[in-house]
Amino acid sequence: MHLVDWPLASLGEFFVHHWAALAIALTVGCLLAFAAAVLAKYVRISLNIFTDAPPLSMLNPMDYERIVGETVRFRSFDGSSLRGMWLRPRGAGRGTIVFCHEFGADMFSCARYVRPLLEAGFTIFTFDFRGHGESSRPGRYRPLQWPSDRELEDVLGATAYVGDRLAEQGQPTGLGIFGISRGAGAAILAAASDGNIRAIACDGAFSTETVIESFMKRWAYIFARIKLVYENHPPAFWMLLRWLLIRTAQPKMGCRYPSVRRALRQMAARPILMIHGQRDSYISEEHTELLYAVAPPPRYKWIVPGARHNQSVVVAGEAYARRTTAFFRRYLAGEAIAESVITGADQADPGQAGSEVA
């Protein structure tokens, strides 16, 4: 017999005997409905933060002189057509480094960072990510400042192309990789699956999930008008909100956003140099600490005093050139370069006190 078929007396008796359970069930249902409504609102507003956050690039075309080399076309792992460029040193080379530019830039921005490496004898291969420079324009995929599986495919396409060219010439296929901001995240993601990448230098790297969570906390007053509410959410709430946000954003943006932090944790050990500006107002030093903590050794961390996002090379140009060149000479070219040169302990480098090696 269904509840609707019960006589009124029996129905009344049922409610009398089970009123407490019914009240609890009703209360729980209302709370769940309220929580779902709050989360839906949070996710909707967080999605706007995710898609419309200020670009992280701090590139100034006036603080570097363009370098021009041999321009080529190659394919990303998913078949997208990309533009690349070879920069070759004079004389014998020390190895090849793939450069991954920051969001909103193009392959020519490498000149700001790699000129000392080129002068030291390293071959540089730089390229335009999809949706940048003269590489193909994506269909429904919208490039954002967060490293996605599309940028990962671009980097893997670049490293495969470079490896094939080196093999054809009878040269070693081991590569270095140098990434800036979003390009740094994509470089780390690629290194987790490409064993030919032997050494990684990254400037302004971050992991999407931890940064977007900090952005949500920073702008929480948009979600809740009552300060007591948004200042007292437990950590589990922010983790759930971040998970829901990324799961919502991926189908809308037509891509996936892999965790750079997880990739580092799972990556086979290889040398990595992490550079970060101490005055970076977009990506705090804490995010570099989180990545450094899970990176396998040998690992180096250089926090540059006075530098904002992507500005370490401007604030500490000589030290930047010395450290990055020493890193690749030691770990890509296999030269007997002392770790003290990479950490700056042999010089009065800016940020020396904040440099670490493990």
Side-chain angles (χ1 to χ4, degrees), residues 157-188:
T159 57
Y161 167 77
V162 171
D164 288 346
R165 298 291 82 76
L166 293 175
E168 289 172 1
Q169 298 165 14
Q171 299 182 37
T173 57
L175 304 172
I177 197 162
F178 193 168
I180 312 298
S181 193
R182 186 188 73 164
I188 292 170

XYZ file of all heavy atoms in Angstrom, residues 157-188:
216
model
N 54.927 18.349 -29.241
C 55.169 18.422 -30.679
C 56.506 19.075 -30.976
O 57.246 18.627 -31.866
N 56.841 20.126 -30.222
C 58.112 20.829 -30.423
C 59.296 19.942 -30.054
O 60.285 19.861 -30.800
C 58.137 22.117 -29.599
N 59.203 19.260 -28.904
C 60.329 18.417 -28.487
C 60.501 17.219 -29.425
O 61.629 16.794 -29.704
C 60.157 17.932 -27.039
O 58.921 17.222 -26.892
C 60.164 19.120 -26.075
N 59.381 16.673 -29.936
C 59.479 15.559 -30.884
C 60.110 16.025 -32.189
O 60.970 15.333 -32.764
C 58.089 14.968 -31.141
N 59.691 17.191 -32.654
C 60.252 17.740 -33.895
C 61.751 17.977 -33.738
O 62.553 17.580 -34.599
C 59.539 19.043 -34.253
C 60.240 19.858 -35.324
C 60.155 19.498 -36.664
C 61.010 20.961 -34.968
C 60.811 20.231 -37.645
C 61.680 21.703 -35.937
C 61.577 21.326 -37.277
O 62.251 22.060 -38.230
N 62.151 18.609 -32.641
C 63.564 18.900 -32.409
C 64.361 17.602 -32.265
O 65.453 17.452 -32.819
C 63.739 19.787 -31.159
C 65.211 19.917 -30.778
C 63.138 21.160 -31.404
N 63.814 16.642 -31.518
C 64.495 15.363 -31.351
C 64.718 14.651 -32.676
O 65.791 14.077 -32.921
N 63.718 14.686 -33.564
C 63.848 14.054 -34.879
C 64.939 14.725 -35.707
O 65.736 14.057 -36.379
C 62.517 14.113 -35.632
C 61.475 13.174 -35.063
O 61.850 12.284 -34.263
O 60.291 13.338 -35.401
N 64.972 16.064 -35.669
C 65.998 16.791 -36.449
C 67.395 16.458 -35.927
O 68.330 16.289 -36.697
C 65.756 18.301 -36.367
C 64.451 18.797 -36.937
C 64.376 18.679 -38.461
N 64.009 17.331 -38.886
C 62.779 16.825 -38.829
N 61.794 17.576 -38.346
N 62.528 15.614 -39.222
N 67.533 16.400 -34.599
C 68.842 16.082 -34.026
C 69.263 14.664 -34.389
O 70.438 14.410 -34.716
C 68.804 16.260 -32.505
C 68.619 17.698 -32.003
C 68.480 17.712 -30.480
C 69.769 18.591 -32.434
N 68.320 13.731 -34.337
C 68.635 12.338 -34.675
C 69.073 12.215 -36.136
O 70.003 11.469 -36.460
C 67.420 11.454 -34.397
N 68.405 12.957 -37.028
C 68.768 12.934 -38.444
C 70.193 13.420 -38.661
O 70.883 12.981 -39.587
C 67.788 13.803 -39.244
C 66.389 13.227 -39.365
C 65.424 14.200 -40.000
O 65.874 15.321 -40.362
O 64.241 13.867 -40.138
N 70.632 14.348 -37.799
C 71.975 14.917 -37.915
C 73.011 14.141 -37.113
O 74.175 14.539 -37.050
C 71.945 16.376 -37.463
C 71.045 17.261 -38.302
C 70.733 18.590 -37.639
O 71.375 18.974 -36.662
N 69.745 19.299 -38.160
N 72.576 13.039 -36.495
C 73.492 12.227 -35.719
C 73.927 12.862 -34.414
O 74.974 12.511 -33.849
N 73.102 13.789 -33.890
C 73.419 14.468 -32.641
C 72.623 13.858 -31.483
O 71.571 13.253 -31.691
C 73.094 15.961 -32.750
C 73.867 16.697 -33.826
C 73.524 18.177 -33.845
O 73.304 18.795 -32.805
N 73.476 18.758 -35.038
N 73.100 14.032 -30.240
C 72.335 13.543 -29.072
C 70.952 14.189 -29.031
O 70.795 15.380 -29.330
C 73.195 13.987 -27.886
C 74.564 14.174 -28.447
C 74.385 14.642 -29.852
N 69.958 13.393 -28.652
C 68.576 13.900 -28.655
C 68.124 14.417 -27.291
O 66.978 14.848 -27.141
C 67.606 12.796 -29.117
O 67.752 11.661 -28.257
C 67.905 12.390 -30.553
N 69.007 14.378 -26.299
C 68.651 14.941 -25.005
C 68.500 16.452 -25.094
O 69.329 17.133 -25.715
N 67.435 16.985 -24.481
C 67.107 18.407 -24.612
C 67.052 19.090 -23.250
O 66.769 18.469 -22.230
C 65.737 18.575 -25.280
C 65.522 17.925 -26.645
C 64.052 18.040 -27.027
C 66.408 18.575 -27.683
N 67.266 20.393 -23.284
C 66.898 21.238 -22.165
C 65.585 21.920 -22.505
O 65.212 22.006 -23.682
N 64.871 22.390 -21.506
C 63.633 23.126 -21.758
C 63.575 24.308 -20.806
O 63.963 24.209 -19.642
C 62.395 22.211 -21.628
C 61.177 22.848 -22.279
C 62.122 21.812 -20.183
C 60.051 21.875 -22.586
N 63.118 25.444 -21.330
C 63.114 26.696 -20.581
C 61.742 27.334 -20.790
O 61.386 27.692 -21.913
C 64.223 27.604 -21.113
C 64.548 28.806 -20.267
C 65.694 29.544 -20.531
C 63.733 29.221 -19.225
C 66.027 30.662 -19.766
C 64.048 30.330 -18.451
C 65.203 31.059 -18.727
N 60.952 27.453 -19.729
C 59.606 27.981 -19.856
C 59.357 29.173 -18.955
O 59.939 29.283 -17.876
N 58.472 30.052 -19.402
C 58.118 31.257 -18.663
C 56.625 31.257 -18.352
O 55.799 31.110 -19.258
C 58.461 32.532 -19.474
C 59.890 32.471 -20.035
C 58.263 33.777 -18.627
C 60.977 32.399 -18.980
N 56.265 31.383 -17.064
C 54.882 31.486 -16.614
C 54.049 30.312 -17.128
O 54.312 29.167 -16.781
C 54.301 32.837 -17.038
O 53.089 33.098 -16.395
N 53.035 30.560 -17.967
C 52.242 29.449 -18.492
C 53.127 28.483 -19.266
O 52.941 27.261 -19.212
C 51.113 29.960 -19.389
C 50.158 28.864 -19.840
C 49.162 29.328 -20.883
N 49.783 29.530 -22.179
C 49.108 29.640 -23.320
N 47.779 29.589 -23.299
N 49.725 29.836 -24.458
N 54.099 29.026 -20.005
C 55.026 28.180 -20.735
C 55.846 27.300 -19.817
O 56.218 26.179 -20.177
N 56.145 27.798 -18.603
C 56.877 26.992 -17.621
C 56.029 25.815 -17.163
O 56.519 24.688 -17.020
C 57.283 27.854 -16.432
N 54.739 26.068 -16.913
C 53.851 24.980 -16.522
C 53.736 23.933 -17.613
O 53.777 22.723 -17.341
N 53.601 24.381 -18.868
C 53.515 23.444 -19.989
C 54.806 22.655 -20.134
O 54.788 21.463 -20.466
C 53.199 24.204 -21.276
N 55.948 23.305 -19.873
C 57.244 22.623 -19.960
C 57.350 21.519 -18.915
O 57.843 20.420 -19.198
C 58.370 23.638 -19.782
N 56.888 21.794 -17.708
C 56.924 20.777 -16.646
C 56.000 19.615 -16.988
O 56.353 18.447 -16.811
C 56.546 21.404 -15.297
C 57.642 22.380 -14.837
C 56.317 20.330 -14.231
C 57.258 23.219 -13.633
